[in-house]
């Protein structure tokens, strides 16, 4: 790595905010011999530009000896973040590669077939004559041979051990605050009818603990191997059989990983197992602190690492969670340059939103949301509902109050399309969202206010969370919730001249701020210290529909009134893909 050239590798024509100082601090941290540099940079600091500059410091072929690795990886857990990178002209030399299922085959009659189900994946002896033009293999070849290959963290981890994407000089991980959580999620083994093609032949008995899970995993692995042998013997597979083969390969890999780790007396991984339905029901085997998994999939993939996020809150705790030695890790703090008065927090708490108290609190929150809508009659808003159950209850209450015309919502299937439709409309609609606290850019008139309905504590009924709390890891519990709140607060203020208000509705959030005060970045603590109650109008649902121009905004001038019907749909019931980790239903 050549840290000295970080400034010349910065891709923008000029600096914004504290970028120049951040580059100097990052350069010095690497020059001092640190293997890993954590960059805590708030929303709007241009983390992707900093990431590009760091990646540009990787050794090139002309600078390296034959035995030395070269070039860089850029990776992020967030698909939307990778999409933003792909569209940014300043980052055009980050060559993006995605998983096969994101590309369509180009062969006649197969143009609607994803590459992972194309003839090359179905036929053992198939020789594709146009492989050089295949969008997947073309992007893969380009990314593999250019200075900076960009991919999601999932793809990066899945390609560990690949001949195509081997070790490189520098690895940059953007939005890295949840690296340990993402690793645990990727390493979690879900055994059920959706993931085990041979489920009907090998349903589990009642799993009473890890020894039972181990015995079942051993038997399942043998059956999966036999079925894989049968499929591999076929000259040609149907699309369904190709999908079954891929599932079985993943299943075998995961089971072998679990069995190897569980039997290794030197492994630091702790495993927990769940079977909510009992005998014959799905089984989930989950790791805690999978250091060996991260070593193989991340830490063995580079010489130097830069991890960027607004919410790496505690260096030592983060290092412990991801298997790093703190003495070779530096933390760089980038100050916030957005005026604190442009990102106010408002206390509109109406009680606790715990499961036991929610039925009493949520109607009061709904009334408060109506008053906030009155306060922002011509400005779009976002409500972080935390779970689909809360979103459904809140939507029903708001519809009963007569403000349904201004609402939008989503379920698990239409999440992205509904979000896109809301962002494109000119109407000041209110979007009831679930799990959108991260990787959402709502700059300017896209959104001027938001409500956080519930303190986002991890679900204590999740076995991993329960195990950590049993081990006394309450600091982790509060940091995890605080991290999500800080991420959420950054959705609506994206530039120095942008402004947006965040309303806190769950009184447990105030308790969280007290308990986690020591872990707050100074710039967020400044927001908390300025927090107070807003001056909201008296409850009058009729004036919440944007027809009244008398209500003012505390965060800036109101936009002009808009006419036209508002598009709204009722959400069907659903479950968040991350419900087992985050929901508290």
């Amino acid at each position: 790595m050549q840290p000295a050239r970080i400034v010349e590798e910065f891709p923008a024509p000029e600096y914004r905010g504290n970028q120049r100082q951040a580059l100097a601090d990052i350069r010095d941290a690497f020059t001092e011999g640190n293997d890993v540099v954590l960059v805590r940079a708030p929303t709007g600091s241009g983390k992707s530009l900093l990431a590009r500059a760091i990646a540009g410091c990787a050794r090139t072929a002309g600078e390296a000896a034959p035995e030395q690795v070269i070039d860089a990886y850029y990776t992020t857990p967030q698909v939307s973040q990778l999409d933003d990178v792909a569209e940014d002209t300043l980052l055009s030399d980050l060559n993006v590669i995605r998983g096969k299922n994101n590309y369509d085959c180009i062969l006649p009659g197969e143009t609607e077939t994803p590459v992972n189900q194309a003839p090359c994946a179905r036929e053992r002896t198939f020789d594709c004559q146009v492989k050089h033009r295949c969008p997947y293999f073309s992007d893969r070849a380009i990314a593999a041979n250019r200075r900076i290959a960009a991919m999601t963290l999932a793809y990066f981890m899945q390609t560990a051990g690949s001949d195509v994407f081997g070790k490189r000089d520098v690895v940059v991980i953007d939005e890295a605050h949840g690296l340990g959580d993402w690793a645990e999620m990727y390493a979690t083994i879900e055994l059920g009818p959706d993931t085990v093609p041979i489920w009907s032949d090998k349903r589990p008995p009642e799993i009473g603990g890890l020894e039972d899970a181990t015995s079942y995993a051993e038997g399942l692995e043998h059956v999966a191997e036999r079925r894989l042998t049968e499929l591999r013997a076929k000259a040609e597979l149907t699309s369904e059989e190709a999908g079954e083969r891929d599932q079985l390969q993943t299943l075998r890999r995961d089971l072998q990983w679990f069995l190897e780790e569980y039997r290794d007396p030197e492994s630091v991984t702790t495993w927990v197992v769940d079977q909510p339905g009992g005998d014959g029901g799905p089984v989930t085997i989950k790791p805690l602190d999978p250091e060996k998994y991260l070593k193989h999939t991340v830490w063995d993939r580079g010489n130097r690492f830069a991890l960027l996020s607004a919410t790496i809150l505690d260096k030592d705790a983060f290092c412990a969670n991801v298997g790093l030695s703190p003495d070779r890790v530096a933390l760089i703090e980038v100050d916030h340059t957005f005026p604190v008065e442009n990102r106010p927090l408002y206390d509109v708490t109406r009680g606790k939103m715990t499961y036991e108290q929610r039925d009493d609190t949520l109607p009061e929150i709904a009334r408060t949301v109506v008053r906030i809508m009155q306060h922002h009659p011509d400005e779009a808003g976002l409500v972080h509902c935390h779970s689909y159950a809360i979103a459904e209850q809140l939507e029903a209450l708001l519809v009963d109050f007569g403000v349904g015309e201004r609402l939008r919502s989503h379920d698990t299937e239409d999440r992205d399309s509904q979000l896109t439709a809301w962002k494109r409309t000119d109407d000041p609609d209110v979007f009831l969202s679930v799990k959108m606290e991260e990787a959402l850019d709502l700059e300017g008139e896209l959104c001027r206010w938001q409500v956080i309905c519930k303190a986002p504590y991890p679900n204590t009924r999740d076995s991993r969370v329960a195990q950590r709390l049993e081990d006394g890891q309450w600091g982790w519990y509060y940091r995890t919730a605080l991290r999500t709140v800080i991420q959420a607060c950054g959705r609506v203020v994206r530039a120095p001249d942008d402004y947006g208000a965040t309303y806190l509705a769950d009184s447990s959030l105030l308790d969280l701020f007290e308990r986690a005060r020591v872990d707050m970045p100074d710039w967020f603590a400044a927001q908390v210290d300025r927090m107070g109650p807003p001056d909201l109008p008296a409850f009058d649902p009729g004036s919440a529909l944007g027809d009244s121009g008398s209500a003012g905004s505390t965060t800036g001038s109101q936009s002009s009134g808009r006419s036209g019907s508002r598009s709204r749909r009722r959400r069907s019931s659903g479950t968040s893909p991350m419900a087992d980790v985050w929901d508290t239903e």
Side-chain angles (χ1 to χ4, degrees), residues 425-447:
T425 184
D426 289 332
D427 294 328
D429 289 352
V430 179
F431 193 59
L432 306 182
S433 73
V434 178
K435 299 294 172 286
M436 292 189 182
E437 295 92 348
E438 299 187 27
L440 182 60
D441 185 342
L442 299 176
E443 185 173 355
E445 296 299 327
L446 286 175
C447 187

Side-chain angles (χ1 to χ4, degrees), residues 92-252:
S92 59
D93 60 347
L94 270 66
N95 295 276
V96 174
I97 174 65
R98 307 175 193 271
K100 287 184 178 181
N101 61 317
N102 293 281
Y103 300 84
D104 289 332
C105 180
I106 59 174
L107 293 173
E110 300 283 355
T111 53
E112 295 185 1
T113 303
V115 172
N116 64 328
Q117 298 176 18
C120 61
R122 302 196 309 259
E123 301 176 26
R124 181 155 45 89
T125 60
F126 184 80
D127 181 18
C128 183
Q129 300 301 309
V130 293
K131 185 175 180 178
H132 62 288
R133 292 196 291 111
C134 171
Y136 170 73
F137 287 102
S138 176
D139 276 4
R140 191 182 72 163
I142 293 171
N145 290 285
R146 298 290 173 84
R147 286 184 65 197
I148 307 172
M151 59 195 69
T152 64
L153 185 62
Y155 188 88
F156 181 69
M157 288 180 165
Q158 289 163 5
T159 55
S162 162
D163 292 335
V164 177
F165 293 110
K167 185 175 182 179
R168 293 198 173 193
D169 188 36
V170 174
V171 177
V172 181
I173 305 177
D174 206 350
E175 301 297 340
H177 50 272
L179 181 59
D181 297 332
W182 284 97
E184 287 182 2
M185 186 184 74
Y186 294 143
T188 291
I189 303 169
E190 301 278 359
L191 303 177
D194 294 335
T195 58
V196 180
I198 50 176
W199 181 256
S200 59
D201 298 326
K202 192 63 179 174
R203 294 176 70 92
E206 183 172 354
I207 304 295
L210 282 168
E211 287 299 327
D212 290 345
T214 303
S215 297
Y216 175 61
E218 288 173 339
L220 186 59
E221 196 264 336
H222 291 318
V223 176
E225 173 61 26
R226 286 200 302 269
R227 177 57 179 158
L228 266 174
T229 301
E230 293 174 4
L231 291 171
R232 288 168 177 161
K234 294 187 175 185
E236 182 175 347
L237 302 177
T238 65
S239 295
E240 292 75 17
E241 288 173 328
E244 180 185 359
R245 177 204 57 201
D246 293 345
Q247 275 195 313
L248 287 170
Q249 289 173 339
T250 300
L251 177 65
R252 279 193 67 237

Side-chain angles (χ1 to χ4, degrees), residues 559-582:
S559 56
S560 61
R562 302 180 179 91
S563 61
S565 61
R566 290 171 173 80
S567 171
R568 188 185 68 84
R569 63 182 297 280
R570 293 301 302 273
R571 185 186 60 79
S572 61
S573 61
T575 303
S576 167
M578 294 288 285
D580 65 317
V581 180
W582 301 112

Side-chain angles (χ1 to χ4, degrees), residues 214-427:
T214 303
S215 297
Y216 175 61
E218 288 173 339
L220 186 59
E221 196 264 336
H222 291 318
V223 176
E225 173 61 26
R226 286 200 302 269
R227 177 57 179 158
L228 266 174
T229 301
E230 293 174 4
L231 291 171
R232 288 168 177 161
K234 294 187 175 185
E236 182 175 347
L237 302 177
T238 65
S239 295
E240 292 75 17
E241 288 173 328
E244 180 185 359
R245 177 204 57 201
D246 293 345
Q247 275 195 313
L248 287 170
Q249 289 173 339
T250 300
L251 177 65
R252 279 193 67 237
R253 182 195 65 210
D254 291 347
L255 292 174
Q256 289 172 347
W257 155 258
F258 162 61
L259 293 169
E260 176 186 339
E261 277 291 279
Y262 183 70
R263 292 167 178 155
D264 183 357
E266 297 183 1
S267 174
V268 297
T269 304
T270 299
W271 294 89
V272 293
V273 60
D274 292 326
Q275 190 186 33
D279 188 3
V283 177
T284 304
I285 304 171
K286 307 173 185 179
L288 293 176
D289 305 322
E291 293 181 16
K292 187 173 180 180
Y293 180 83
L294 277 170
K295 183 178 186 303
H296 171 62
T297 59
V298 177
W299 307 130
D300 287 346
R301 308 285 298 280
N303 290 328
R304 299 287 189 93
F305 295 82
L307 279 60
L308 298 88
S309 171
T311 50
I312 296 176
L313 301 180
D314 181 282
K315 172 190 164 182
D316 290 344
F318 179 85
C319 290
N321 185 235
V322 299
L324 291 174
S325 175
D327 59 347
R328 299 300 299 273
V329 178
L331 174 63
I332 302 301
E333 181 84 46
V334 180
D335 290 335
H336 212 314
T337 58
F338 297 1
V340 67
E341 58 269 20
N342 285 12
R343 42 188 172 93
L345 302 179
Y346 290 112
D347 179 357
V348 293
T349 55
R350 293 298 183 266
K352 290 183 179 294
M353 280 289 288
T354 60
Y355 186 77
E356 294 76 15
Q357 296 170 284
R358 183 178 307 164
D359 288 344
D360 293 330
T361 303
L362 197 54
E364 294 304 313
I365 289 179
R367 290 179 64 89
T368 301
V369 170
V370 171
R371 295 174 65 197
I372 295 170
M373 292 169 68
Q374 295 173 231
H375 199 49
H376 301 268
D378 299 310
E379 294 178 323
L382 178 75
V383 181
H384 296 284
C385 296
H386 184 72
S387 72
Y388 284 105
I390 293 175
E392 189 168 5
Q393 287 179 264
L394 180 61
E395 182 173 19
L397 289 164
L398 293 172
V399 168
D400 287 345
F401 286 143
V403 297
E405 179 185 343
R406 198 175 160 189
L407 302 180
R408 288 177 181 260
S409 56
H410 67 90
D411 57 29
T412 55
E413 288 75 24
D414 65 1
R415 173 188 178 93
D416 292 339
S417 61
Q418 289 298 325
L419 174 63
T420 299
W422 172 65
K423 291 170 69 174
R424 287 178 176 172
T425 184
D426 289 332
D427 294 328

